Every structure is written in structure tokens, then in C-alpha cells.
């Protein structure tokens, strides 16, 4: 008679014997999850939980205090926010305008500077350091500094204009000049980052296509347009992606130059500034969360659009 | 030590470190200098976190909202966030504490400030700094324009400002806060002096009453026509004060508690020519605000409430209040104001201006609601519209409608 044995799982490893305790075997089986668990807990605690909590708050009428009792109101906040043409939609417009214009200037300027720095020249090291200076400064400090420079009455900018015979400009103080001025500050601070990324892309290109084009008699512009640019395009998309997401989220420069609400007429109120005001000035946590969730979706959407473009350009 | 324990229960495990969050203010600088004395007296250690006004407010919003216990004593603005904080139960009930020490004497505090730091008849804070709006002016510019005395009425102020600006276009006749929300508190004295208020006795919005419309048009017009060139609509007191102390403006209406910025030679180019006068009278007389701008409260979630109270009691004692007042911080204790020592260090004309203000003063400088920040933005809109040259009356009508809706929402 054949001995009846309970079927056991054959040992997977030499170290595993039938005597290995059950927990050890279980741990061995699930080790890829076990090792990843701390990282997953970290992500859950720091990303997923706040996001889920914000999502939950966006469906309630929480205000005054987060701990105060609040009622579940479903998508009422979303209806309210999406039909708000007073603050929300203008803020969306400003966010898009700010991002697109700043990004355009930064990429074009960044490309120009990167091309200049591409070929070695004397004193290149110092020029690179000088260009990177704005990048290492804290945005809030940068905002404060420009706010002083652009002060319409005692600022340096208008004094400098006076020396060359141009009348004082309102800069940040003007209702229509404030947003362009903050875009200028953003371009001043972040173009170096684009330069840095593009320069890395340019220096990784091989010289042969350039040489070939030169022998074929292509002009500098033709070489840039038809050789360098297509080759460096993947890096340009990376620069746009990184800088674009950052520009969408810009807060510190706007807050440091125009303060709460983006100025008295909300001149520079972007979605981020608006959501901040809703939370910290108005204590409207429900509505504020709604704005943030919508903003989050906008960022995810633009990221998706850009990365799919990137894949296309790589194809 | 004759102190009763706070409502916090068993304090035997309480820390000997008191964590105090304070705003950037002269008061804070003074209290920091005096701290070693308190630490020696009680054996406690005080840990101070010091923040700008806006950052302070954000910090409270985050920490108190989360039920954090790592703030024991908090410096807060009774008129700005007092009502909201008390309603949210962030502020500990101090009713027993304020009565516990006869020498400390709670009845010595002025009635107005005490009302502002109470909630539902319970004391939830102790006022530390009071403010009235006064007129700052430049004696030299006045003399140059042939005027012998500072303006007594708003009409005279306008005429004098116009005259000075006309004589020197680089000089502003008048400067004041222009930011939508920051301007509201200083605008309030204009509103009252024209005979208006933010709400009437039945709680209805009245920012489009005839006096209110006149006040908006007057304040905005004064800044637009006789203010600094390229006037922005973002100025709070640091910016407006900078224009005044850089010698670029003749008149400036602002809280008296900031006077040292103008009279201190280290901060002001015009320190020796600054004069002070009571708030100029409007059609309804001179009616500046007279308010407690800052108070100390105790975090209801603090596990160190009894030691926290020791700090509050010390920092608001008669001795400290007198020392503070001598160095330029107007306090809320009647006995200190009655003491000649309490006013000896002030410019003489400022003491007179304060005395006049406390007589006729109004106890609030902004709408008394829960969500003050929001209300300020609503009632401040006509100010910035008027400065930008838009129709102040129409803006006041729009603002009144929005403000009434806001009040209705809040009453729900």
C-alpha cells in the first residue's frame, strides 16, 4: 500500500527544507512585496493619503476648521467651482497664460544660451556659474528682491529707466502689467534650468551629422533647423515637461510679489494662489479641495498630453 | 505660587518648557529682552517661535486645525481671528485664571479690549496691544506750505494735501494703505467719521449707505489725486510707511502703535520733523477706531496650560505693560495710562492724539464676523476701485450686495 502523504510544495531553494517554519516560507514567497513594503507605506502615507483626504474633503462642506463637523455634499462643490466665472475661470486662464508664455520664453532663450555655451570658449566656466546664479536662489527671496526693484516709487527699475529718459512704469503695481512682470521674473529665474538641460542634450550629440551638413554647404541656421534641433528634440520635450509642470504650479514668486489673492484685483491669481487663499484666508476647506483636485487633474492631463507628444516625436 | 491649575487636568507631567508663538512686533522684541527675568523667577524655559503676521496666521490654521499640542501660548489678533478661533475651540477658557490673582487685577484692563478677547462671556485671551488711528504729518512741509497747524477736518486734509502735491509733484500729499484687505482697517476711521459703518444695528450690510459711498470716494480720491505717483493697490503698512519715512509724503493715516517706525532715526529719514494729530473730523466728527490689535491666548490642546498661564500672567502684568508702554507699545491697562510714567516717553502730540481717540473711538476696525479675511476683501473692493479711478458709488452697491449675501450665509 502506498503511503499517503500530504502533498507539500517542493522546496524552491537549497536553503529551504521541509522543516522550514511556515512564516519563513511565506516570507520567502512574498519577499518582493516585503522588501517593497516600507517604500509603499511611505508613498501611501505621504502621497495617497493626502490625495484621498483632499478628494474626500472636496465632497464635503468643510469650513472654519477641518475638525469641525461637515456634511457630505456630493459633487455640489464641483458644480459651484466649475460655474464660478468670477474667480475660478479667470484663475485657470491666468495659470495657462502664465505657463505658456513663461515656457515659450524660457525654451527659446534657453536654447539660444545653450547654443552659445555649447562650443568651448575662454572663461566658459565663469559664464556658466553666472548663468546658474538665479537658479540657486529661493523663489520667495527672488520675489521679494524683484518687488523692491520694481517698486513704482522708490524702486531701481524706474530709476534706471529715468536715466535713459523713459518715464516710470507701474510694473507689479499696474493692473495689466503685473502678470507680464511676474512672467519676466519667472523667466529670469528658470531659464538657467532649461539651459542646463538643453546643454546636457547638446553635448551628448555626436559631431558627425554636423560635419556632414557643413561639408554639404549648409548654413548655420540650416544646420540648426535641420540637424541639431531634430536631434536634440527629445531633450527639449523633457525640458518643456519638467519646466511646464513647475510653471503650472508656480506659487512663491506670485505670493511674494503680489501677496494674498494675487493682488487687489486678483491680477496674478493663478489656481494655486486661489486654492491657497480659499484654505488660508477663507478657511473654505471643501471648496479649496475641489479646486485642488481639479488642478491636479489639469496637471495630470497636461503631463499626459506632453508625454504622448514626446513618444510621437521619438517615433 | 498662588496659581490654580488650568482645566488641562493633571499637570505633574507637564513640560517645564513653555512654547510661545509670537508675531514680529516691537512687543515681541521687548518681551524677549525681559525673558531671562521670567525664566529665573519660575525655573521654566520659554521657547519662542517668531513669525510675520501672515505666516503666523497660516501656522495657526495648520497646527490648530490638526489639533497640535506643540503651541502653548499664542499671540493672536482678537478682531481678525478671535471669533473663529474661539468658535473652533482653539482657545482655552481662561475665565478662572483671570480671576485667580488679585494683584494681577483683570479689572484693570480697558473694557473695549476685554470685550474683544471674550467669547460667549468667557475670557479666552488677554489683550496686550491697543491701537488707535492717528494722523502722521510732516511739520516742515506744513510750514513750507504756509500752514500753521495740522488739518482738523477731512476737508482741510484734502486741501493741504493738494497744495503740497501741487507745489512739488514728486511729493505725495497723502499716503495710506491701498491693498484691498490691508486698507480696510485704516479706512474704517474714514467710514465712521463720515457717519457710516460696515453693518447697522440690525446686522444689515451698509457699505452702500450715502456716508459710506462718500467715504470710499474720499479715501480713494485722496490717494488717486494727491497720493504717490504710480500708486499701487497692494500697499500694506510697511510699503506705505516706507514712502512716508523716505520723505516722500506729507500726510499719512495709520495706527499709532507703529509710530516708532517714523520717529526712530535708524528707520526714518524724517524722524525729526514728524508730527502727530488726532484723526481729522468728517461730517460726523472725528471717529477713529480704538481697538485691541493683539492678545495672548492659550492653545486649548496644550498639555502645558498651567505653565502657559504663568507666562501669560507675567507678560501681561502691570510691570511688563508699563515697560512695554514706555518703549512705545500702547497697552490695555487703565492704571498704566493713568500713570504719568506710562506716557512720559511718547511724543507729546501723540499722547494728546491718543487721548482724543480713546474718547470718541469706535471699538472695531473691520466687520465683526467669523470669516474676517473674506469680509475684508468684500468691503475693501470699493476702496481699490476708487483708487483705480472707477466709480466708487457703483462699486459700493456691488460690494453691499455681496456683503449682505456673505452675512446671510454666515448667519445660517
Amino acid at each position: 500500500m502506498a503511503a499517503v502523504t500530504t502533498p507539500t510544495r517542493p522546496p524552491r531553494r537549497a536553503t529551504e527544507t521541509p522543516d522550514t517554519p511556515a512564516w519563513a516560507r511565506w516570507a520567502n514567497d512574498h519577499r518582493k512585496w516585503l522588501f517593497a513594503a516600507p517604500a509603499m507605506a511611505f508613498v501611501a502615507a505621504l502621497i495617497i493619503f493626502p490625495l484621498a483626504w483632499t478628494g474626500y474633503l472636496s465632497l464635503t462642506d468643510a469650513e472654519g476648521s477641518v475638525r469641525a463637523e461637515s456634511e457630505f455634499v456630493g459633487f455640489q462643490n464641483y458644480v459651484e467651482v466649475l460655474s464660478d466665472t468670477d474667480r475660478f475661470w479667470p484663475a485657470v486662464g491666468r495659470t495657462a497664460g502664465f505657463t505658456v508664455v513663461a515656457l515659450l520664453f524660457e525654451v527659446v532663450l534657453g536654447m539660444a544660451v545653450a547654443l552659445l555655451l555649447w562650443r568651448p570658449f575662454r572663461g566658459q566656466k565663469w559664464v556658466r556659474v553666472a548663468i546658474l546664479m538665479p537658479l540657486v536662489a529661493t523663489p520667495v527671496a527672488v520675489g521679494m528682491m524683484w518687488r523692491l526693484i520694481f517698486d513704482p516709487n522708490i524702486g531701481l527699475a524706474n530709476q534706471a529707466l529715468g536715466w535713459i529718459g523713459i518715464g516710470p512704469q507701474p510694473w507689479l503695481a499696474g493692473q495689466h502689467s503685473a502678470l507680464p512682470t511676474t512672467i519676466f521674473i519667472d523667466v529670469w529665474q528658470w531659464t538657467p534650468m532649461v539651459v542646463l538641460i538643453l546643454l546636457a542634450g547638446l553635448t551628448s550629440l555626436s559631431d558627425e551629422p554636423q560635419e556632414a551638413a557643413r561639408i554639404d554647404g549648409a548654413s548655420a541656421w540650416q544646420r540648426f533647423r535641420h540637424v541639431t534641433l531634430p536631434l536634440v528634440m527629445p531633450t527639449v520635450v523633457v525640458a518643456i515637461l519638467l519646466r511646464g509642470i513647475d510653471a503650472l504650479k508656480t506659487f512663491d514668486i506670485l505670493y511674494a510679489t503680489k501677496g494674498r489673492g494675487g493682488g487687489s484685483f486678483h491680477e496674478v491669481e493663478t489656481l494655486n494662489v486661489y486654492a491657497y487663499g480659499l484654505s488660508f484666508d477663507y478657511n473654505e476647506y471643501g471648496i479649496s479641495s475641489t479646486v485642488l483636485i481639479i488642478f491636479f487633474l489639469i496637471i495630470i492631463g497636461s503631463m499626459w498630453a506632453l508625454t504622448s507628444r514626446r513618444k510621437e516625436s521619438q517615433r | 505660587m498662588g496659581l490654580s491649575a488650568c482645566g488641562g487636568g493633571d499637570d505633574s507631567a507637564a513640560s517645564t518648557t513653555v512654547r510661545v508663538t509670537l508675531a514680529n512686533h516691537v512687543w515681541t522684541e521687548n518681551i524677549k529682552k525681559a525673558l531671562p527675568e521670567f525664566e529665573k523667577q519660575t525655573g521654566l524655559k520659554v521657547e519662542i517661535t517668531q513669525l510675520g503676521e501672515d505666516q503666523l496666521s497660516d501656522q495657526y490654521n495648520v497646527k490648530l486645525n490638526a489639533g497640535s499640542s506643540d503651541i502653548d501660548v499664542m499671540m493672536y489678533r482678537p478682531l481678525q481671528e478671535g471669533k473663529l478661533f474661539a468658535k473652533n475651540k482653539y482657545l482655552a477658557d481662561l475665565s478662572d485664571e483671570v480671576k485667580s490673582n488679585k494683584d494681577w487685577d483683570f479689572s484693570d484692563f480697558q473694557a473695549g479690549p476685554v470685550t474683544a478677547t471674550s467669547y460667549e462671556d468667557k475670557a479666552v485671551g488677554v489683550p496686550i496691544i491697543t491701537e488707535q488711528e492717528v494722523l502722521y504729518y510732516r511739520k516742515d512741509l506744513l510750514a513750507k506750505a504756509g500752514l500753521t497747524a495740522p488739518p482738523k477736518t477731512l476737508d482741510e486734509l484734502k486741501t493741504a494735501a493738494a497744495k503740497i502735491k501741487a507745489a512739488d509733484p514728486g511729493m505725495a500729499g497723502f499716503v495710506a494703505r491701498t491693498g484691498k484687505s490691508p486698507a480696510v482697517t485704516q479706512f474704517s476711521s474714514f467710514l465712521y467719521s463720515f457717519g457710516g459703518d460696515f453693518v447697522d444695528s440690525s446686522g444689515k450690510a451698509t457699505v452702500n449707505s450715502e456716508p459710506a459711498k462718500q467715504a470710499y470716494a474720499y479715501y480713494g480720491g485722496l490717494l488717486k489725486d494727491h497720493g504717490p505717483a504710480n500708486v499701487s493697490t497692494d500697499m500694506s503698512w510697511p510699503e506705505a510707511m516706507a514712502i512716508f519715512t523716505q520723505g516722500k509724503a506729507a500726510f499719512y493715516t495709520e495706527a499709532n502703535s507703529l509710530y516708532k517706525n517714523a520717529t526712530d532715526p535708524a528707520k526714518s529719514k524724517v524722524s525729526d520733523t514728524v508730527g502727530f494729530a488726532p484723526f481729522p473730523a468728517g461730517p460726523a466728527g472725528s471717529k477713529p477706531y480704538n481697538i485691541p490689535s493683539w492678545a495672548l491666548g492659550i492653545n486649548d490642546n496644550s498639555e502645558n496650560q498651567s505653565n502657559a498661564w504663568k507666562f501669560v500672567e507675567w507678560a501681561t502684568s502691570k510691570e511688563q505693560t508699563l515697560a512695554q508702554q514706555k518703549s512705545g507699545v500702547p497697552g490695555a491697562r487703565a492704571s498704566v495710562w493713568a500713570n504719568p510714567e506710562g506716557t512720559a516717553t511718547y511724543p507729546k502730540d501723540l499722547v494728546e492724539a491718543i487721548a482724543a481717540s480713546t474718547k470718541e473711538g469706535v471699538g472695531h476696525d473691520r466687520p465683526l464676523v467669523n470669516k474676517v479675511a473674506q469680509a475684508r476683501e468684500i468691503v475693501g473692493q470699493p476702496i481699490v476701485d476708487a483708487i483705480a479711478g472707477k466709480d466708487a458709488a457703483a462699486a459700493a452697491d456691488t460690494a453691499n450686495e455681496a456683503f449682505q449675501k456673505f452675512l446671510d450665509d454666515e448667519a445660517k
Side-chain angles (χ1 to χ4, degrees):
Chain A
M1 199 176 112
V4 180
T5 53
T6 43
T8 50
R9 195 176 51 81
R12 276 190 190 164
R13 303 211 146 208
T15 50
E16 214 176 276
T17 66
D19 298 336
T20 308
W23 65 264
R25 243 183 288 139
W26 181 89
N28 209 353
D29 276 354
H30 299 89
R31 60 185 180 279
K32 69 174 177 195
W33 292 110
L34 272 178
F35 284 122
M40 289 196 298
F42 187 77
V43 169
L46 285 155
I47 297 173
I48 298 173
F49 172 73
L51 204 59
W53 180 246
T54 309
Y56 165 73
L57 277 181
S58 76
L59 302 174
T60 68
D61 64 353
E63 61 162 1
S65 164
V66 178
R67 286 181 298 154
E69 273 176 37
S70 55
E71 253 175 64
F72 189 83
V73 294
F75 286 92
Q76 196 184 309
N77 288 340
Y78 286 84
V79 174
E80 198 176 311
V81 167
L82 291 172
S83 58
D84 169 17
T85 51
D86 211 30
R87 298 278 291 268
F88 177 75
W89 285 109
V92 173
R94 278 182 220 109
T95 310
F98 181 93
T99 307
V100 169
V101 177
L103 205 54
L104 200 71
F105 274 102
E106 281 160 22
V107 171
V108 171
L109 264 176
M111 179 57 95
V113 176
L115 286 172
L116 284 176
L117 292 179
W118 188 13
R119 302 293 174 213
F121 59 90
R122 256 184 80 169
Q124 189 184 34
K125 209 170 83 189
W126 296 107
V127 175
R128 283 194 189 184
V129 170
I131 281 181
L132 291 183
M133 289 293 261
L135 194 58
V136 291
T138 314
V140 174
V142 167
M144 301 280 222
M145 181 189 83
W146 282 106
R147 184 176 168 165
L148 285 176
I149 294 174
F150 282 135
D151 185 285
N153 291 294
I154 48 182
L156 198 66
N158 277 345
Q159 276 181 28
L161 284 186
W163 295 330
I164 52 171
I166 301 176
Q169 301 298 316
W171 304 114
L172 289 165
Q175 214 174 314
H176 303 291
S177 59
L179 193 62
T181 309
T182 55
I183 292 179
F184 166 82
I185 299 172
D186 193 76
V187 170
W188 178 86
Q189 178 161 36
W190 294 110
T191 304
M193 194 182 95
V194 180
V195 172
L196 211 62
I197 298 173
L198 294 182
L199 202 53
L202 285 172
T203 40
S204 71
L205 298 183
S206 81
D207 278 339
E208 282 111 38
Q210 295 282 344
E211 283 298 314
R214 198 169 292 147
I215 289 164
D216 286 345
S219 68
W221 170 250
Q222 283 171 327
R223 267 179 284 139
F224 170 72
R225 175 72 188 79
H226 298 290
V227 181
T228 315
L229 193 59
L231 286 173
V232 85
M233 208 53 203
T235 319
V236 174
V237 177
V238 168
I240 292 177
L241 196 68
L242 288 176
R243 190 52 218 134
I245 294 168
D246 256 6
L248 271 174
K249 296 189 302 185
T250 301
F251 174 76
D252 13 29
I253 286 178
L254 304 176
Y255 188 75
T257 49
K258 293 293 283 181
R260 312 202 144 199
S264 288
F265 295 99
H266 310 301
E267 302 94 305
V268 304
E269 187 175 69
T270 59
L271 277 178
N272 235 354
V273 176
Y274 180 44
Y276 179 88
L278 283 172
S279 294
F280 289 100
D281 292 346
Y282 299 174
N283 303 91
E284 298 262 17
Y285 303 108
I287 298 273
S288 170
S289 303
T290 308
V291 171
L292 283 171
I293 291 286
I294 296 175
F295 188 28
F296 178 71
L297 294 175
I298 292 178
I299 292 183
I300 296 275
S302 7
M303 250 166 80
W304 177 80
L306 272 170
T307 40
S308 57
R309 271 295 304 255
R310 187 184 168 202
K311 278 184 200 126
E312 258 168 46
S313 72
Q314 278 173 337
R315 208 166 278 155
Chain B
M1 231 158 289
L3 291 167
S4 65
C6 269
D10 182 14
D11 262 13
S12 56
S15 160
T16 54
T17 302
V18 182
R19 281 159 305 184
V20 180
T21 304
L22 303 174
N24 290 334
H25 196 284
V26 194
W27 186 90
T28 302
E29 300 307 324
N30 292 334
I31 215 75
K32 270 165 50 185
K33 274 181 230 147
L35 262 188
E37 179 195 315
F38 171 73
E39 293 186 325
K40 213 169 110 196
Q41 232 174 55
T42 55
L44 296 168
K45 210 181 136 355
V46 178
E47 223 176 74
I48 288 186
T49 309
Q50 201 178 330
L51 297 162
E53 229 171 276
D54 286 348
Q55 285 71 31
L56 186 80
S57 182
D58 292 351
Q59 176 93 236
Y60 290 151
N61 263 328
V62 172
K63 289 202 167 174
L64 303 178
N65 237 325
S68 165
S69 62
D70 63 4
I71 295 175
D72 297 321
V73 178
M74 47 204 261
M75 181 166 169
Y76 75 101
R77 296 170 288 180
L79 291 173
Q80 180 75 11
E81 50 230 347
K83 215 170 163 186
L84 181 75
F85 283 7
K87 185 172 162 245
N88 289 344
K89 300 192 178 64
Y90 297 163
L91 294 166
D93 178 4
L94 303 175
S95 306
D96 295 335
E97 283 72 23
V98 294
K99 284 181 220 133
S100 65
N101 186 345
K102 283 274 167 313
D103 294 335
W104 180 74
D105 192 7
F106 193 47
S107 63
D108 186 24
F109 286 85
Q110 295 165 351
V114 167
T115 315
T117 52
S118 306
Y119 182 73
E120 293 174 346
D121 294 330
K122 283 180 286 207
V124 291
V126 181
I128 50 176
I129 300 158
T130 61
E131 276 178 5
Q132 297 86 26
E133 186 163 0
V134 295
L135 179 70
Y136 293 55
Y137 69 95
R138 288 270 301 280
K139 292 176 187 163
D140 55 331
L141 293 178
L142 226 62
K144 221 163 114 192
L147 299 163
T148 49
K152 286 200 171 55
T153 65
L154 290 173
D155 285 339
E156 284 175 29
L157 173 64
K158 194 176 211 168
T159 316
K163 197 169 174 189
I164 290 169
K165 172 121 182 177
D168 175 3
M171 179 69 66
F174 174 80
V175 69
R177 302 185 193 184
T178 58
K180 179 157 66 170
S181 182
V184 168
T185 51
Q186 312 310 308
F187 165 75
S188 70
S189 300
F190 288 83
L191 180 63
Y192 309 149
S193 300
F194 269 95
D197 202 333
F198 299 107
V199 292
D200 65 12
S201 52
S202 64
K204 281 258 177 298
T206 53
V207 289
N208 71 340
S209 65
E210 207 36 55
K213 283 179 175 169
Q214 285 169 7
Y216 281 124
Y218 177 90
Y219 188 84
L222 201 53
L223 280 158
K224 182 177 148 289
D225 300 333
H226 314 303
N230 276 311
V231 66
S232 80
T233 45
D234 293 324
M235 292 198 289
S236 184
W237 75 265
E239 294 84 15
M241 181 65 87
I243 290 177
F244 185 74
T245 55
Q246 289 284 317
K248 303 238 177 198
F251 296 104
Y252 175 32
T253 47
E254 185 54 81
N256 59 337
S257 60
L258 299 171
Y259 85 92
K260 280 241 153 159
N261 291 282
T263 58
D264 180 354
K267 292 178 183 168
S268 166
K269 283 189 185 166
V270 296
S271 58
D272 48 347
T273 62
V274 175
F276 299 93
F279 191 82
S286 166
K287 288 201 165 164
Y289 63 74
N290 172 29
I291 52 119
S293 48
W294 290 94
L296 289 182
I298 293 177
N299 177 8
D300 197 40
N301 268 315
S302 158
E303 282 153 11
N304 203 10
Q305 296 198 3
S306 140
N307 286 335
W309 173 250
K310 284 179 198 162
F311 176 84
V312 174
E313 190 176 45
W314 168 77
T316 57
S317 64
K318 285 177 188 164
E319 297 75 38
Q320 279 305 322
T321 309
L322 178 62
Q324 287 280 4
Q325 203 155 304
K326 274 159 101 175
S327 66
V329 182
R333 277 187 178 271
S335 66
V336 176
W337 281 108
N339 183 347
E341 236 188 296
T343 53
T345 56
Y346 283 70
K348 211 174 135 276
D349 51 356
L350 183 59
V351 176
E352 284 161 16
I354 293 173
S357 311
T358 41
K359 228 182 288 162
E360 288 292 324
V362 178
H364 58 278
D365 64 351
R366 62 202 87 186
L368 293 172
V369 293
N370 285 325
K371 290 191 270 182
V372 178
Q374 208 166 346
R376 280 174 78 158
E377 288 200 1
I378 297 172
V379 301
Q381 189 63 49
I383 302 177
V384 291
D385 282 340
I387 296 172
K390 294 178 191 161
D391 182 357
D397 283 330
T398 315
N400 197 68
E401 199 180 310
F403 190 40
Q404 186 57 52
K405 186 172 170 295
F406 170 90
L407 292 171
D408 292 343
D409 279 352
E410 205 161 80
K412 264 183 213 160

